[in-house]
Amino acid sequence: MEIVRFIIDNLDIIGARAIEHISIVFLAVGIAVATAVPIGIAITQSKSTADTVLYLASMMITVPSIALFGLMIPLLSPIGHGIGYVPAVVAVVLYSQLPIIRNTYTAITNVDPALREAAKGMGMSTWQRLRQVEIPLAIPVIMAGVRTAVVMNIGVTAIAAYIGAGGLGTFISRGISQSDPRQLVTGALAVSLLAIAADLFLALVQRLLTSRGIQGDVTQ
Amino acid sequence: MSAPAILTTPPQERRRPALAPVLVLVVLAGAVAWLWSSGMAEEILTYSDDISYLAVQHLELVAWAGGLAILTAVPVGIVLSRPAFRAISEAAMQVFNIGSTVPTLAILALSMTLLGIGTVPAVFGLWAATLLPIVRNTYAGLRAVPPHLVEAATGMGMTPRQVLWRVELPNALFVIFGGIRTALAICVGSAPLVFLIGAGGLGELIFTGIALDELPMMMAGAIPTALIAVLVDFVFGQIQYHLVPRGINPLR
Amino acid sequence: MIRLENLTKHFGPAHNPFVAVDNVNLDLPTGEICVLLGPSGCGKTTTMKMINRLIQPTSGKVFIDGKDTGTVDAIELRRSIGYVIQQIGLFPNKTIEENICVVPDLLGWDRRKSRMRAKELLELVGLQPDLFLKRYPKELSGGQQQRVGVLRALAADPPVMLMDEPFGAIDPINREVIQEEFLKMQKTIRKTIIFVSHDLDEAVKMADRIAIFRGGKLEQYATPDDLLARPANSFIEDFLGSDRALKRLRLIPVRNAMQTDFITVQNSDSVESALERMRSSGSAAAFVLDAEGVPQSLLSAQVAGARSGAVADHAEPVKGAVPVSGDLRHAVSLMFAHDMPLLPCVDEGGRLAGVMSYRSIVHNLGHGETA
């Protein structure tokens, strides 16, 4: 009851923190899409490059986020952003690479060779083939990667409160340091609901972006 | 929480090519060289006692949480895949899928609210965060066993228990292992956070270092934490590679 | 017209290449279908793909209507050549209309014109446009998808088409139907077509000319009848099979093989007089016709020689007749089915136009063999 009262009294702050949280994830995943999708497409040209890139990206993602934040402090301090918003965004960009690169790569390499052959035989250029055939077919899987990245990084961003990036994690960090279960539960619930809502919302976007002709083929 | 709900998809693509480890070694060597030349390494090494004590604590927490998660999640996945539970299993998986989007920090916070501070809420929180990928992969792996294999086994006169042990589990092993590996990555990735609820571990050096703006202390926590995470994943990758028979191991 | 000149393709290292296609020369007149035939790995598909440069020739040239295609940009070249593949390859993310319009769109046609064209083409193969234009490939049956695959290749009205085992993925019954349909369409569109197949029956049915490949070499290039009648070497003979003479039956029209010097008699005539007329004209049988000229019954010389009386008492009823537009396979099948060593051949009105006998069939098949 106490917690419900706290939430109602602090709706405006919760809203502001949520927007901070979303802005970090949104900006960073946006940047990640702009880098990872082209990388994912580019590495389809060479298996060994693809293996190398995917290996590095998967290693990157195993590094615990708080360790990554720590390791970035000496790297980003020289430009005056050792802690705060910038390292949070950088971390999210880095973590988003694997799911998006991997899904893009897998989706493009899984395009039926017959379709590629047909497209080529009818006189499509490489770019036309990508734009008209390969990317539209890969969209559901690429979007699944984006979705994974967003959900995962909502959690990462919560931890970024400890390096002063703000966001909903602030309630959790203050709740722990002040032994205040109201803030603790509020933060935990808000960040969980945000992750669930983002997941459902992106599932919807994924459906809208998928051609009706291939809907239901991809379940991921 | 760093790790990767995404590793739940069967990690076929996580290959071990020759070039990547070399690159990693070069970067590591560069980092080590920089640490020595800047004098940072010496400062970090003043924490060596703390590092070894906390690293052991860190690994113990991971082992408890991970071990308990495997022991509970695999049977749950098996039960859910049985025909008798088919009616509820899909709904249950939906709930689990939603559950697995909940960030670990939130799980730990809720665990602390329920159980207070210390090792027990920490292990409980890590266990809860580790559980779902294993359940999900066990279930999915068993459901993906081709029905004709089960039919053939049944037709040869195997009991349902024999079908499970001799046909279904061996054929689902790769996917189940994939889930365990993902789950452990999440568990190891979340382990530094348990310091926040009073369970120690290498997170102690990282969080304290950040709070005190004490860079060497922070690095003394961050570097081993990262290395442990990468090593655990590597070791389980090897185990998965060698333990799962070649006939059903897409990596071999 | 398509002309292949010393066309050659090597794969692998230059010092030790695998010769996939070895110095192939071939001329195909405009409006004809050439089937490239042979076992898998014989170089037929590679040869075809060098025509639209999906595979770059190692040496040699391809001319289309006298123009060296090596001088044309590969992508432009492909847009001017229709292409149908075995896996059909309809783009699942595009509707049927969008699929058909791929090449017109690439060529920058006016949208209204290309959509109109899609509609016309669907009508051509009996798929209702308002029902199919907006559907996606997965909503079509295999046969319908294959038809759309062919239409897509025809959309920009290219003079030349390449078809890579286009009907290979379809069940045998539908394949027959689509082959017939396509041949009928080809009568009006008159495309110059290179058609890859590994199925001899399909080749015999579809081809104006057949090119048989082995180990990258063109072993024989001939019309189907010629090929079956005079295989150039023992490899081709084996490839064609021991029943190749039977395959020729389909290629010979009844019109060309029937004897037209039949004689007709009345029911009231005597058997002796009928026999007399047969002997003097060398015919093996005499037919009794009705007022319209439709054969009713026949009296064979063999029967007539052993009997006496009126024709009506001894003539056997006609149980079947082959239309003159049919082929010898049809005729033989009717002869076997009705146990009629002498089969009347009839025109569109059912009127007697000629007679088919075992001997005339053997004569026609043998004729090719020895000539």
Side-chain angles (χ1 to χ4, degrees):
Chain A
M1 229 43 256
E2 226 185 314
I3 291 166
V4 175
R5 151 136 285 141
F6 177 85
I7 291 172
I8 293 168
D9 287 348
N10 292 285
L11 268 182
D12 51 340
I13 306 175
I14 298 173
R17 293 287 188 217
I19 287 169
E20 260 171 26
H21 206 110
I22 293 168
S23 85
I24 293 174
V25 175
F26 190 81
L27 173 68
V29 174
I31 295 172
V33 169
T35 58
V37 172
I39 292 174
I41 293 171
I43 60 176
T44 57
Q45 298 304 309
S46 147
K47 176 102 169 49
S48 62
T49 314
D51 286 346
T52 307
V53 168
L54 289 171
Y55 184 85
L56 293 178
S58 69
M59 197 155 166
M60 181 85 254
I61 212 169
T62 43
V63 175
S65 51
I66 189 67
L68 184 65
F69 289 137
L71 295 172
M72 278 193 305
I73 292 176
L75 294 176
L76 293 177
S77 290
I79 56 165
H81 288 287
I83 59 168
Y85 193 84
V86 173
V89 169
V90 173
V92 174
V93 170
L94 290 176
Y95 282 139
S96 302
Q97 297 302 308
L98 178 66
I100 305 178
I101 292 178
R102 187 178 63 178
N103 280 29
T104 305
Y105 171 75
T106 313
I108 300 271
T109 43
N110 281 353
V111 168
D112 182 353
L115 297 180
R116 202 166 286 138
E117 154 118 18
K120 223 172 149 187
M122 284 191 293
M124 287 193 189
S125 64
T126 309
W127 170 243
Q128 283 165 332
R129 216 163 65 223
L130 265 177
R131 214 187 60 80
Q132 291 196 33
V133 181
E134 293 175 352
I135 292 181
L137 292 177
I139 279 282
V141 181
I142 295 176
M143 273 308 296
V146 172
R147 205 173 135 194
T148 310
V150 166
V151 169
M152 176 178 86
N153 284 309
I154 286 175
V156 171
T157 303
I159 297 165
Y162 281 95
I163 54 164
L168 291 166
T170 317
F171 289 107
I172 300 178
S173 70
R174 297 227 175 113
I176 290 173
S177 62
Q178 297 165 13
S179 299
D180 177 359
R182 295 176 313 172
Q183 292 190 59
L184 199 59
V185 173
T186 302
L189 285 182
V191 98
S192 306
L193 286 177
L194 182 61
I196 293 166
D199 192 39
L200 296 177
F201 172 72
L202 288 171
L204 184 72
V205 174
Q206 181 180 346
R207 262 242 299 284
L208 292 177
L209 286 178
T210 305
S211 157
R212 196 163 60 82
I214 53 170
Q215 227 148 59
D217 294 357
V218 182
T219 46
Q220 197 191 355
Chain B
M1 140 107 208
S2 69
I6 58 148
L7 302 181
T8 35
T9 45
Q12 282 117 309
E13 296 84 6
R14 311 183 78 207
R15 304 178 192 92
R16 263 163 244 92
L19 180 58
V22 175
L23 272 176
V24 171
L25 284 179
V26 169
V27 171
L28 278 183
V32 169
W34 175 77
L35 286 175
W36 279 112
S37 62
S38 65
M40 179 75 88
E42 262 169 74
E43 288 184 71
I44 292 175
L45 285 178
T46 58
Y47 293 97
S48 56
D49 288 348
D50 291 323
I51 293 174
S52 54
Y53 175 76
L54 292 171
V56 169
Q57 199 175 28
H58 195 94
L59 286 170
E60 278 174 0
L61 285 164
V62 168
W64 272 108
L68 288 174
I70 294 170
L71 288 179
T72 42
V74 173
V76 170
I78 292 174
V79 167
L80 282 174
S81 73
R82 296 302 90 192
F85 287 87
R86 201 138 290 175
I88 59 150
S89 59
E90 281 302 324
M93 293 318 292
Q94 293 281 341
V95 173
F96 287 168
N97 281 338
I98 293 174
S100 63
T101 63
V102 174
T104 348
L105 185 63
I107 295 176
L108 287 171
L110 294 172
S111 168
M112 176 184 167
T113 326
L114 291 174
L115 301 173
I117 59 168
T119 307
V120 172
V123 170
F124 177 78
L126 289 180
W127 169 81
T130 310
L131 202 56
L132 296 182
I134 308 181
V135 175
R136 195 158 54 175
N137 275 37
T138 305
Y139 174 80
L142 288 170
R143 289 295 301 271
V145 172
H148 60 258
L149 293 185
V150 176
E151 196 182 319
T154 314
M156 283 183 273
M158 289 193 196
T159 64
R161 180 181 299 262
Q162 286 168 327
V163 174
L164 174 67
W165 280 99
R166 299 188 187 179
V167 179
E168 293 183 85
L169 279 176
N171 278 290
L173 199 58
F174 183 79
V175 181
I176 295 175
F177 249 102
I180 291 176
R181 195 169 160 199
T182 305
L184 282 178
I186 293 176
C187 188
V188 175
S190 311
L193 302 178
V194 299
F195 159 72
L196 298 173
I197 61 172
L202 288 163
E204 187 169 325
L205 292 169
I206 306 178
F207 282 103
T208 317
I210 291 173
L212 300 178
D213 200 9
E214 192 68 47
L215 197 57
M217 183 179 191
M218 189 281 303
M219 296 292 268
I223 293 171
T225 303
L227 287 179
I228 286 176
V230 172
L231 272 178
V232 168
D233 188 57
F234 177 76
V235 167
F236 267 82
Q238 291 299 315
I239 293 178
Q240 179 185 27
Y241 183 83
H242 290 288
L243 212 65
V244 179
R246 197 153 53 87
I248 51 164
N249 189 337
L251 294 175
R252 284 163 77 168
Chain C
M1 191 188 86
I2 299 176
R3 157 176 284 176
L4 311 184
E5 226 178 69
N6 303 325
L7 201 59
T8 300
K9 180 66 190 178
H10 295 175
F11 289 112
H15 57 90
N16 182 25
F18 168 71
V19 182
V21 175
D22 191 0
N23 213 25
V24 167
N25 287 287
L26 183 152
D27 265 299
L28 179 65
T30 304
E32 292 201 355
I33 300 179
C34 167
V35 174
L36 310 185
L37 186 64
S40 57
C42 68
K44 56 190 194 293
T45 305
T46 308
T47 302
M48 186 203 71
K49 286 186 177 173
M50 284 194 282
I51 295 173
N52 67 356
R53 296 236 300 279
L54 280 176
I55 294 175
Q56 192 67 33
T58 305
S59 63
K61 284 180 174 166
V62 177
F63 295 91
I64 294 181
D65 291 330
K67 190 166 182 193
D68 179 0
T69 58
T71 62
V72 185
D73 173 65
I75 285 181
E76 241 162 78
L77 175 71
R78 290 176 197 147
R79 290 177 188 173
S80 69
I81 297 177
Y83 189 46
V84 186
I85 60 176
Q86 183 185 358
Q87 307 90 328
I88 309 177
L90 294 182
F91 302 129
N93 56 317
K94 292 178 184 280
T95 60
I96 298 310
E97 183 177 46
E98 288 164 344
N99 264 292
I100 295 177
C101 292
V102 164
V103 178
D105 287 349
L106 287 171
L107 293 169
W109 280 22
D110 175 61
R111 227 183 128 72
R112 208 166 328 132
K113 180 179 158 200
S114 63
R115 308 296 125 157
M116 202 56 219
R117 172 84 177 146
K119 204 169 149 231
E120 287 167 12
L121 284 168
L122 279 177
E123 276 164 355
L124 199 63
V125 295
L127 297 174
Q128 275 173 280
D130 45 337
L131 222 56
F132 285 95
L133 279 174
K134 299 298 173 197
R135 286 204 191 166
Y136 285 91
K138 70 170 179 190
E139 296 160 338
L140 267 59
S141 72
Q144 290 168 339
Q145 288 187 23
Q146 188 58 70
R147 286 180 177 89
V148 174
V150 173
L151 297 184
R152 182 171 69 170
L154 286 169
D157 208 11
V160 172
M161 283 177 67
L162 306 180
M163 306 178 84
D164 188 1
E165 306 204 15
F167 310 130
I170 302 176
D171 65 274
I173 294 172
N174 271 309
R175 192 185 312 155
E176 290 270 331
V177 174
I178 293 187
Q179 284 168 345
E180 299 287 352
E181 225 177 71
F182 184 76
L183 282 176
K184 219 163 96 195
M185 198 154 73
Q186 165 70 354
K187 281 209 175 97
T188 51
I189 59 179
R190 305 299 302 168
K191 301 292 180 196
T192 312
I193 297 171
I194 299 278
F195 188 115
V196 166
S197 178
H198 64 257
D199 175 0
L200 179 60
D201 288 316
E202 180 176 62
V204 168
K205 183 170 181 181
M206 307 294 291
D208 294 305
R209 284 149 200 272
I210 296 178
I212 296 213
F213 281 75
R214 177 174 62 156
K217 283 199 165 67
L218 177 56
E219 293 275 334
Q220 187 171 4
Y221 182 48
T223 63
D225 189 39
D226 235 21
L227 180 75
L228 290 168
R230 287 180 293 277
N233 56 41
S234 61
F235 160 74
I236 297 179
E237 233 177 291
D238 288 346
F239 185 81
L240 298 176
S242 50
D243 61 342
R244 68 188 155 87
L246 291 181
K247 294 192 189 343
R248 281 187 69 211
L249 289 174
R250 159 179 268 164
L251 295 169
I252 302 173
V254 167
R255 199 187 303 282
N256 298 4
M258 68 188 181
Q259 291 164 277
T260 49
D261 52 344
F262 55 86
I263 59 171
T264 60
V265 292
Q266 303 292 321
N267 270 326
S268 54
D269 290 351
S270 72
V271 170
E272 289 81 2
S273 72
L275 183 63
E276 184 53 41
R277 286 181 54 205
M278 284 186 246
R279 284 198 175 137
S280 64
S281 69
S283 305
F287 287 88
V288 179
L289 309 180
D290 69 3
E292 273 79 47
V294 177
Q296 298 297 308
S297 57
L298 74 89
L299 180 69
S300 71
Q302 217 180 342
V303 172
R307 305 288 162 84
S308 62
V311 167
D313 300 331
H314 299 292
E316 298 159 44
V318 166
K319 284 171 282 186
V322 65
V324 292
S325 58
D327 58 43
L328 283 192
R329 199 170 72 140
H330 191 180
V332 170
S333 153
L334 285 170
M335 290 163 103
F336 287 170
H338 298 302
D339 190 20
M340 291 174 67
L342 290 166
L343 187 72
C345 310
V346 294
D347 62 15
E348 296 81 43
R351 290 177 295 266
L352 188 65
V355 188
M356 186 71 72
S357 66
Y358 285 141
R359 193 193 304 171
S360 58
I361 290 170
V362 171
H363 173 76
N364 266 283
L365 292 179
H367 179 70
E369 198 93 45
T370 52

